Amino acid sequence: MEDLLYKAISYGRELGLEFIDIRIDDYIINSITIRDSAVTSSSINIKGASIRVLSEGVIGFAATGIVNKNGLKRAIDSAYRQVKAFKGLTEKMGVYTVSSRHDVVKEKPIVDPRDVGFDVKISDLSELRDLI
């Protein structure tokens, strides 16, 4: 993944961008639904990237749900088109330059939902449904 990001940043630098920030999100959403006493569950993995760029004091932004070479390239191109469209029309911004950083953020819940039994989850949802 890091190699892909470095290549995407290099591509942006070739375009003449002074600053490129790429953030990758990768998370799983689990849901349980009770409708007319029928229980269904689903799980979906969501992955995407948000990109901020800066050139000549103008900032551009794009997002993509396709985290591969072509998806990142298209998003960088989109953010770059915004920069070109707004050059001379907005107040210039500056960026304080620091070395690049790789950071992983993991949310640590008080109780991990994976450790809660399915029967407990169904019971809690049924109780909530009855309250509503």
Side-chain angles (χ1 to χ4, degrees), residues 50-73:
S50 60
I51 298 173
R52 292 182 302 162
V53 302
L54 183 79
S55 180
E56 297 180 39
V58 179
I59 196 162
F61 174 82
T64 181
I66 303 169
V67 184
N68 62 26
K69 180 181 176 182
N70 290 332
L72 293 176
K73 181 182 180 295

mmCIF file of all heavy atoms in Angstrom, residues 50-73:
data_model
loop_
_atom_site.group_PDB
_atom_site.id
_atom_site.type_symbol
_atom_site.label_atom_id
_atom_site.label_comp_id
_atom_site.label_asym_id
_atom_site.label_seq_id
_atom_site.Cartn_x
_atom_site.Cartn_y
_atom_site.Cartn_z
ATOM 1 N N SER A 50 -9.148 9.988 0.477
ATOM 2 C CA SER A 50 -9.399 11.415 0.286
ATOM 3 C C SER A 50 -8.058 12.067 -0.020
ATOM 4 O O SER A 50 -7.029 11.682 0.532
ATOM 5 C CB SER A 50 -10.043 12.038 1.533
ATOM 6 O OG SER A 50 -9.201 11.891 2.643
ATOM 7 N N ILE A 51 -8.094 13.028 -0.934
ATOM 8 C CA ILE A 51 -6.865 13.648 -1.413
ATOM 9 C C ILE A 51 -7.000 15.157 -1.365
ATOM 10 O O ILE A 51 -7.979 15.712 -1.861
ATOM 11 C CB ILE A 51 -6.549 13.188 -2.854
ATOM 12 C CG1 ILE A 51 -6.332 11.677 -2.857
ATOM 13 C CG2 ILE A 51 -5.342 13.928 -3.420
ATOM 14 C CD1 ILE A 51 -6.171 11.070 -4.209
ATOM 15 N N ARG A 52 -6.034 15.801 -0.731
ATOM 16 C CA ARG A 52 -5.934 17.263 -0.740
ATOM 17 C C ARG A 52 -4.641 17.628 -1.448
ATOM 18 O O ARG A 52 -3.610 17.002 -1.209
ATOM 19 C CB ARG A 52 -5.916 17.827 0.683
ATOM 20 C CG ARG A 52 -7.215 17.662 1.412
ATOM 21 C CD ARG A 52 -7.160 18.282 2.785
ATOM 22 N NE ARG A 52 -6.072 17.663 3.566
ATOM 23 C CZ ARG A 52 -5.557 18.194 4.652
ATOM 24 N NH1 ARG A 52 -5.982 19.349 5.107
ATOM 25 N NH2 ARG A 52 -4.595 17.576 5.327
ATOM 26 N N VAL A 53 -4.714 18.629 -2.312
ATOM 27 C CA VAL A 53 -3.530 19.090 -3.024
ATOM 28 C C VAL A 53 -3.440 20.600 -2.927
ATOM 29 O O VAL A 53 -4.439 21.279 -2.694
ATOM 30 C CB VAL A 53 -3.543 18.651 -4.513
ATOM 31 C CG1 VAL A 53 -3.642 17.144 -4.635
ATOM 32 C CG2 VAL A 53 -4.676 19.317 -5.279
ATOM 33 N N LEU A 54 -2.235 21.117 -3.110
ATOM 34 C CA LEU A 54 -2.016 22.555 -3.091
ATOM 35 C C LEU A 54 -1.019 22.914 -4.183
ATOM 36 O O LEU A 54 -0.008 22.240 -4.350
ATOM 37 C CB LEU A 54 -1.459 22.999 -1.735
ATOM 38 C CG LEU A 54 -1.248 24.498 -1.563
ATOM 39 C CD1 LEU A 54 -2.565 25.190 -1.262
ATOM 40 C CD2 LEU A 54 -0.246 24.769 -0.459
ATOM 41 N N SER A 55 -1.344 23.970 -4.930
ATOM 42 C CA SER A 55 -0.433 24.481 -5.946
ATOM 43 C C SER A 55 -0.641 25.986 -6.061
ATOM 44 O O SER A 55 -1.776 26.447 -6.195
ATOM 45 C CB SER A 55 -0.698 23.805 -7.293
ATOM 46 O OG SER A 55 0.177 24.306 -8.281
ATOM 47 N N GLU A 56 0.458 26.720 -5.971
ATOM 48 C CA GLU A 56 0.426 28.179 -6.080
ATOM 49 C C GLU A 56 -0.613 28.807 -5.148
ATOM 50 O O GLU A 56 -1.330 29.735 -5.510
ATOM 51 C CB GLU A 56 0.204 28.602 -7.528
ATOM 52 C CG GLU A 56 1.325 28.160 -8.457
ATOM 53 C CD GLU A 56 1.104 28.582 -9.884
ATOM 54 O OE1 GLU A 56 0.612 29.705 -10.114
ATOM 55 O OE2 GLU A 56 1.412 27.776 -10.764
ATOM 56 N N GLY A 57 -0.721 28.245 -3.946
ATOM 57 C CA GLY A 57 -1.602 28.802 -2.935
ATOM 58 C C GLY A 57 -3.068 28.435 -3.068
ATOM 59 O O GLY A 57 -3.900 28.929 -2.319
ATOM 60 N N VAL A 58 -3.409 27.554 -4.010
ATOM 61 C CA VAL A 58 -4.809 27.143 -4.205
ATOM 62 C C VAL A 58 -4.934 25.669 -3.831
ATOM 63 O O VAL A 58 -4.124 24.838 -4.242
ATOM 64 C CB VAL A 58 -5.253 27.360 -5.674
ATOM 65 C CG1 VAL A 58 -6.697 26.914 -5.862
ATOM 66 C CG2 VAL A 58 -5.087 28.815 -6.073
ATOM 67 N N ILE A 59 -5.979 25.366 -3.051
ATOM 68 C CA ILE A 59 -6.183 23.997 -2.587
ATOM 69 C C ILE A 59 -7.278 23.308 -3.397
ATOM 70 O O ILE A 59 -8.239 23.938 -3.822
ATOM 71 C CB ILE A 59 -6.510 23.971 -1.072
ATOM 72 C CG1 ILE A 59 -6.345 22.565 -0.513
ATOM 73 C CG2 ILE A 59 -7.891 24.528 -0.788
ATOM 74 C CD1 ILE A 59 -6.231 22.514 0.991
ATOM 75 N N GLY A 60 -7.106 22.006 -3.618
ATOM 76 C CA GLY A 60 -8.114 21.194 -4.300
ATOM 77 C C GLY A 60 -8.351 19.924 -3.502
ATOM 78 O O GLY A 60 -7.490 19.488 -2.730
ATOM 79 N N PHE A 61 -9.514 19.331 -3.687
ATOM 80 C CA PHE A 61 -9.881 18.136 -2.928
ATOM 81 C C PHE A 61 -10.606 17.154 -3.830
ATOM 82 O O PHE A 61 -11.358 17.543 -4.724
ATOM 83 C CB PHE A 61 -10.805 18.498 -1.750
ATOM 84 C CG PHE A 61 -11.323 17.295 -1.020
ATOM 85 C CD1 PHE A 61 -10.545 16.673 -0.056
ATOM 86 C CD2 PHE A 61 -12.563 16.763 -1.324
ATOM 87 C CE1 PHE A 61 -11.004 15.543 0.607
ATOM 88 C CE2 PHE A 61 -13.036 15.639 -0.666
ATOM 89 C CZ PHE A 61 -12.249 15.030 0.304
ATOM 90 N N ALA A 62 -10.386 15.876 -3.585
ATOM 91 C CA ALA A 62 -11.134 14.824 -4.276
ATOM 92 C C ALA A 62 -11.170 13.595 -3.387
ATOM 93 O O ALA A 62 -10.343 13.439 -2.480
ATOM 94 C CB ALA A 62 -10.484 14.492 -5.621
ATOM 95 N N ALA A 63 -12.120 12.725 -3.651
ATOM 96 C CA ALA A 63 -12.227 11.461 -2.919
ATOM 97 C C ALA A 63 -12.536 10.360 -3.915
ATOM 98 O O ALA A 63 -13.101 10.608 -4.985
ATOM 99 C CB ALA A 63 -13.335 11.549 -1.873
ATOM 100 N N THR A 64 -12.148 9.153 -3.563
ATOM 101 C CA THR A 64 -12.418 8.008 -4.422
ATOM 102 C C THR A 64 -12.689 6.770 -3.575
ATOM 103 O O THR A 64 -12.143 6.634 -2.478
ATOM 104 C CB THR A 64 -11.238 7.731 -5.391
ATOM 105 O OG1 THR A 64 -11.568 6.611 -6.222
ATOM 106 C CG2 THR A 64 -9.946 7.444 -4.649
ATOM 107 N N GLY A 65 -13.510 5.913 -4.090
ATOM 108 C CA GLY A 65 -13.758 4.617 -3.464
ATOM 109 C C GLY A 65 -12.934 3.529 -4.120
ATOM 110 O O GLY A 65 -13.060 2.354 -3.790
ATOM 111 N N ILE A 66 -12.071 3.929 -5.060
ATOM 112 C CA ILE A 66 -11.230 2.971 -5.776
ATOM 113 C C ILE A 66 -9.779 3.231 -5.386
ATOM 114 O O ILE A 66 -9.160 4.186 -5.858
ATOM 115 C CB ILE A 66 -11.424 3.098 -7.304
ATOM 116 C CG1 ILE A 66 -12.896 2.907 -7.663
ATOM 117 C CG2 ILE A 66 -10.545 2.092 -8.035
ATOM 118 C CD1 ILE A 66 -13.232 3.268 -9.087
ATOM 119 N N VAL A 67 -9.260 2.396 -4.517
ATOM 120 C CA VAL A 67 -7.909 2.599 -4.000
ATOM 121 C C VAL A 67 -6.942 1.695 -4.760
ATOM 122 O O VAL A 67 -6.526 0.643 -4.286
ATOM 123 C CB VAL A 67 -7.841 2.354 -2.481
ATOM 124 C CG1 VAL A 67 -6.448 2.655 -1.950
ATOM 125 C CG2 VAL A 67 -8.870 3.204 -1.757
ATOM 126 N N ASN A 68 -6.656 2.115 -5.985
ATOM 127 C CA ASN A 68 -5.624 1.475 -6.792
ATOM 128 C C ASN A 68 -4.954 2.570 -7.613
ATOM 129 O O ASN A 68 -5.296 3.754 -7.474
ATOM 130 C CB ASN A 68 -6.198 0.355 -7.676
ATOM 131 C CG ASN A 68 -7.225 0.832 -8.682
ATOM 132 O OD1 ASN A 68 -7.219 1.994 -9.097
ATOM 133 N ND2 ASN A 68 -8.117 -0.051 -9.093
ATOM 134 N N LYS A 69 -4.002 2.208 -8.460
ATOM 135 C CA LYS A 69 -3.236 3.202 -9.213
ATOM 136 C C LYS A 69 -4.154 4.127 -10.024
ATOM 137 O O LYS A 69 -4.036 5.352 -9.953
ATOM 138 C CB LYS A 69 -2.246 2.494 -10.135
ATOM 139 C CG LYS A 69 -1.403 3.418 -10.959
ATOM 140 C CD LYS A 69 -0.468 2.647 -11.875
ATOM 141 C CE LYS A 69 0.297 3.599 -12.770
ATOM 142 N NZ LYS A 69 1.175 2.881 -13.695
ATOM 143 N N ASN A 70 -5.090 3.562 -10.774
ATOM 144 C CA ASN A 70 -5.970 4.373 -11.617
ATOM 145 C C ASN A 70 -6.946 5.211 -10.798
ATOM 146 O O ASN A 70 -7.218 6.359 -11.138
ATOM 147 C CB ASN A 70 -6.732 3.493 -12.610
ATOM 148 C CG ASN A 70 -5.819 2.918 -13.672
ATOM 149 O OD1 ASN A 70 -4.803 3.508 -14.015
ATOM 150 N ND2 ASN A 70 -6.163 1.739 -14.174
ATOM 151 N N GLY A 71 -7.475 4.644 -9.716
ATOM 152 C CA GLY A 71 -8.407 5.390 -8.881
ATOM 153 C C GLY A 71 -7.752 6.593 -8.228
ATOM 154 O O GLY A 71 -8.315 7.696 -8.207
ATOM 155 N N LEU A 72 -6.541 6.412 -7.704
ATOM 156 C CA LEU A 72 -5.827 7.522 -7.084
ATOM 157 C C LEU A 72 -5.417 8.560 -8.127
ATOM 158 O O LEU A 72 -5.502 9.762 -7.885
ATOM 159 C CB LEU A 72 -4.604 7.015 -6.321
ATOM 160 C CG LEU A 72 -4.910 6.167 -5.078
ATOM 161 C CD1 LEU A 72 -3.622 5.635 -4.471
ATOM 162 C CD2 LEU A 72 -5.705 6.954 -4.059
ATOM 163 N N LYS A 73 -4.992 8.098 -9.298
ATOM 164 C CA LYS A 73 -4.612 9.020 -10.373
ATOM 165 C C LYS A 73 -5.804 9.887 -10.778
ATOM 166 O O LYS A 73 -5.685 11.107 -10.916
ATOM 167 C CB LYS A 73 -4.083 8.247 -11.580
ATOM 168 C CG LYS A 73 -3.647 9.128 -12.734
ATOM 169 C CD LYS A 73 -3.175 8.282 -13.916
ATOM 170 C CE LYS A 73 -2.735 9.137 -15.066
ATOM 171 N NZ LYS A 73 -3.784 9.940 -15.676
#
